[in-house]
Amino acid sequence: MREQLEKEYPDYRDQIRSAFEAGQQHIFRWWDALSPFEKENLLRQVASIDFPFLHKLFHTYLQKPVSTFRGTLAPPYVISVPATPEERRSAERIYRIGESFLRRGEIAVLTVAGGDGTRLGGNGPKGTLHIAPISGKSIFQLHAEKICALQKRYGTVIPWYIMTSETNNKATQEFFASHDFFGLDPRHLCFFMQGMLPVLSLEGKLLMNSRSTIIKSPNGHGGSLIALKEKGILADMKRRGIRSLFYHQVDNVLIKIADPAFLGYHVSNAAEMSLKVVRKRQGGEKVGIVGYIDGRLQIVEYSELSQEDMEARDENGGLKYHAGNIAVHVMNIDFLEKVYQREDALPYHIARKKVPFLNEHGDLVLPEENNAIKYESFIFDILKHVEKATIVEALREDEFSPVKNMEGENSPETAKQDMINLFGRWLHNAGITIPVDARGNVIGLIEISPFFALDEEELRKKIPQTFQFDGLLHL
Ligand code: UTP
């Protein structure tokens, strides 16, 4: 078989040999039935696979126990939400520092939007989801308008880098183009694709979902780090005079993009990387926490925490490990360059999933049990290389509402309500009566465009005190 293939496609001889040597020859089992186009297509996929690397990946990570956390855990110092008048005055100073940083044009935004969004049903890129409570604007549009409004407010340019994947790149770019880039100058908007890795069976074999298609999946949000370098994005940022990146995930509809307060803390503490966290609701909440393990800052995943650490209390009776990671970071370009020097920059994490595949008879199987391994790297793993980090607490209800599931928790429904509730609080704090139900949800619909007000302060300046809410407000 191998000889036949090599003879037929001599240009792919090395790649064919690698596949056979790696014991993956089953991918050619339908070779004779393929059209020339399908054959070429399959060989191109084979050529994109680093077989020795895949072999290493499978054998390294399969041996690893599910819980990898070992060592001594300690809570980090977290800058809490200002509560006293003095803390508020100090926070205001910090805010002005962040504003100066924005005015200098040294910050870019990096949105990771390469995920498959499987829990949501994978119907197109998550950012294209229509989510705004009244206008139905997409998540991408909301982000774009926040960036536009910030640019106007600070008379600056904030380049926006959006990471997509092979699966959703075309649809994402077409969506932006068909909406005229939501008013942004396309010269300052850059899409780049993250890498993909094959999905393996539990025995380490490549899986296929057609006779000529090898199943791959995006290599995790940590893939942004690799792609930034490989695709020349970092070089582009440096050419533009960018010093820091504001990083966030596409699916958080409450994200305060390039929040001056956060940037201010980052700059004034001369941090290499900063993180926003929210207080865990209860010990058992399934969220990764920020902690020191043997003196290095890390995110400890929920599954890695012992029951004792999960419920441990501090001297005030609150959770000792309360700093829940919401994947909102500022990272310095200098710091990223330092991380690139390291061979062990980012490890891979494995996830066992149910992935439909073709069996040896060519029938599509929809497995009921986990049958496949996906490999992903996580951006937060670079934390262990940080010498100076700042951790800032944010209020969950103000800044974190991700869209993950079709219904229930973290769904489009909760995201819409969270937006309405946020705008409701802004109005309430401006002295306007806003009715809420027993669960604290606003009764009625409110949407405030980032162009009208980016935050509570701006809204307060614009809305007349005499304004009366009648159940529907669209500004
Ligand atoms: P999630 O881990 O929630 O994955 O990603 P997801 O793809 O959105 O959804 P599921 O798990 O398949 O249901 C968190 C963020 O990281 C991005 C996602 O686009 C989302 O913004 N991400 C994730 C990437 O950019 N690339 C990846 O490989 C994985």
Side-chain angles (χ1 to χ4, degrees):
M1 174 90 198
R2 177 166 146 192
E3 286 75 33
Q4 178 204 334
L5 287 167
E6 288 181 3
K7 222 162 132 194
E8 223 179 304
Y9 284 88
D11 289 353
Y12 285 101
R13 181 174 298 139
D14 291 347
Q15 290 86 349
I16 294 167
R17 184 169 305 157
S18 297
F20 274 80
E21 283 171 3
Q24 304 284 5
Q25 56 272 31
H26 63 284
I27 56 176
F28 299 113
R29 71 164 57 102
W30 296 291
W31 185 258
D32 292 333
L34 300 184
S35 68
F37 176 79
E38 289 170 324
K39 285 181 175 175
E40 182 85 31
N41 180 29
L42 177 58
L43 287 174
R44 265 204 305 273
Q45 295 167 62
V46 171
S48 72
I49 297 174
D50 181 343
F51 286 97
F53 172 72
L54 205 59
H55 181 82
K56 197 168 141 212
L57 211 52
F58 179 71
H59 287 280
T60 313
Y61 289 97
L62 204 67
Q63 317 306 338
K64 268 196 165 176
V66 177
S67 173
T68 50
F69 157 51
R70 275 191 208 96
T72 319
L73 183 65
Y77 172 69
V78 177
I79 299 169
S80 50
V81 178
T84 64
E86 198 190 329
E87 282 172 354
R88 273 194 281 273
R89 271 195 299 279
S90 157
E92 258 171 45
R93 274 196 307 276
I94 297 289
Y95 192 92
R96 307 293 160 223
I97 294 173
E99 289 191 303
S100 310
F101 192 31
L102 274 165
R103 280 196 193 92
R104 289 201 298 275
E106 293 175 350
I107 187 99
V109 172
L110 169 60
T111 304
V112 289
D116 284 338
T118 15
R119 282 169 286 173
L120 250 192
N123 296 323
K126 254 191 201 178
T128 62
L129 200 73
H130 295 283
I131 202 78
I134 299 174
S135 67
K137 285 175 189 169
S138 63
I139 303 185
F140 275 137
Q141 180 163 2
L142 292 177
H143 296 338
E145 291 186 354
K146 286 178 190 173
I147 293 175
C148 253
L150 278 167
Q151 294 190 140
K152 276 200 196 112
R153 185 194 271 187
Y154 295 111
T156 189
V157 169
I158 304 175
W160 188 14
Y161 297 86
I162 300 176
M163 185 172 83
T164 60
S165 73
E166 256 176 41
T167 323
N168 66 20
N169 180 59
K170 191 165 173 278
T172 305
Q173 293 215 38
E174 283 175 0
F175 187 74
F176 272 81
S178 67
H179 290 88
D180 238 351
F181 305 98
F182 304 109
L184 287 165
D185 182 341
R187 285 173 307 170
H188 307 305
L189 187 58
C190 170
F191 300 90
F192 65 100
M193 272 197 272
Q194 69 178 109
M196 307 281 282
L197 279 172
V199 173
L200 298 181
S201 73
L202 301 181
E203 294 74 41
K205 298 289 182 200
L206 292 170
L207 292 171
M208 304 185 76
N209 53 15
S210 87
R211 291 171 181 228
S212 59
T213 318
I214 297 168
I215 306 178
K216 288 196 208 164
S217 72
N219 60 356
H221 38 68
S224 56
L225 205 69
I226 306 161
L228 283 180
K229 183 139 199 250
E230 282 180 358
K231 307 271 161 106
I233 307 296
L234 214 64
D236 179 65
M237 290 174 180
K238 282 167 75 176
R239 260 195 311 278
R240 292 169 183 264
I242 299 300
R243 294 169 69 100
S244 304
L245 275 183
F246 178 89
Y247 169 103
H248 76 106
Q249 303 189 334
V250 71
D251 52 18
N252 179 9
V253 297
L254 294 188
I255 184 73
K256 273 192 190 172
I257 293 186
D259 169 22
F262 188 38
L263 294 176
Y265 283 118
H266 178 79
V267 173
S268 55
N269 287 328
E272 290 177 313
M273 178 164 175
S274 295
L275 295 87
K276 264 200 192 180
V277 295
V278 297
R279 208 162 260 278
K280 265 178 95 166
R281 288 193 174 114
Q282 70 272 332
E285 192 190 355
K286 291 189 179 175
V287 58
I289 56 106
V290 189
Y292 281 100
I293 300 178
D294 294 336
R296 306 300 307 175
L297 205 55
Q298 285 184 43
I299 303 293
V300 185
E301 292 197 65
Y302 161 80
S303 54
E304 298 174 336
L305 264 190
S306 69
Q307 192 64 32
E308 197 188 334
D309 285 336
M310 223 178 260
E311 297 300 342
R313 300 281 144 178
D314 61 18
E315 59 281 8
N316 303 319
L319 283 177
K320 184 173 175 188
Y321 300 106
H322 61 79
N325 176 37
I326 54 167
V328 178
H329 310 307
V330 181
M331 301 178 281
N332 290 352
I333 304 286
D334 284 355
F335 166 62
L336 294 183
E337 293 200 307
K338 194 174 85 179
V339 173
Y340 288 122
Q341 310 295 324
R342 305 191 60 114
E343 286 228 333
D344 63 338
L346 285 185
Y348 279 89
H349 298 251
I350 63 171
R352 290 183 173 79
K353 304 253 173 170
K354 293 186 200 99
V355 176
F357 70 105
L358 281 198
N359 66 12
E360 62 273 32
H361 310 295
D363 302 322
L364 190 67
V365 179
L366 303 173
E368 284 177 10
E369 302 287 324
N370 290 337
N371 65 318
I373 304 173
K374 284 190 180 182
Y375 295 91
E376 289 194 329
S377 60
F378 297 158
I379 190 76
F380 56 68
D381 281 324
I382 59 172
L383 267 180
K384 61 174 179 288
H385 306 300
V386 174
E387 296 302 330
K388 189 112 198 336
T390 303
I391 305 167
V392 184
E393 186 188 333
L395 292 177
R396 184 191 298 245
E397 61 271 29
D398 285 355
E399 305 200 25
F400 186 56
S401 181
V403 183
K404 301 283 184 197
N405 308 310
M406 286 204 252
E407 40 195 41
E409 211 190 357
N410 297 334
S411 62
E413 212 49 50
T414 56
K416 276 181 200 166
Q417 190 62 55
D418 287 343
M419 277 189 267
I420 296 173
N421 290 348
L422 173 74
F423 300 138
R425 280 194 301 282
W426 289 1
L427 290 160
H428 168 83
N429 294 342
I432 289 146
T433 305
I434 302 291
V436 292
D437 66 16
R439 289 157 64 196
N441 288 330
V442 168
I443 302 170
L445 286 175
I446 313 174
E447 183 178 329
I448 299 173
S449 155
F451 291 131
F452 187 83
L454 256 176
D455 50 37
E456 187 178 314
E457 206 183 327
E458 197 172 3
L459 179 75
R460 197 174 307 135
K461 283 184 198 145
K462 290 188 176 171
I463 195 107
Q465 289 250 308
T466 49
F467 176 80
Q468 288 200 343
F469 179 61
D470 63 3
L472 181 74
L473 176 65
H474 189 192
L475 294 171

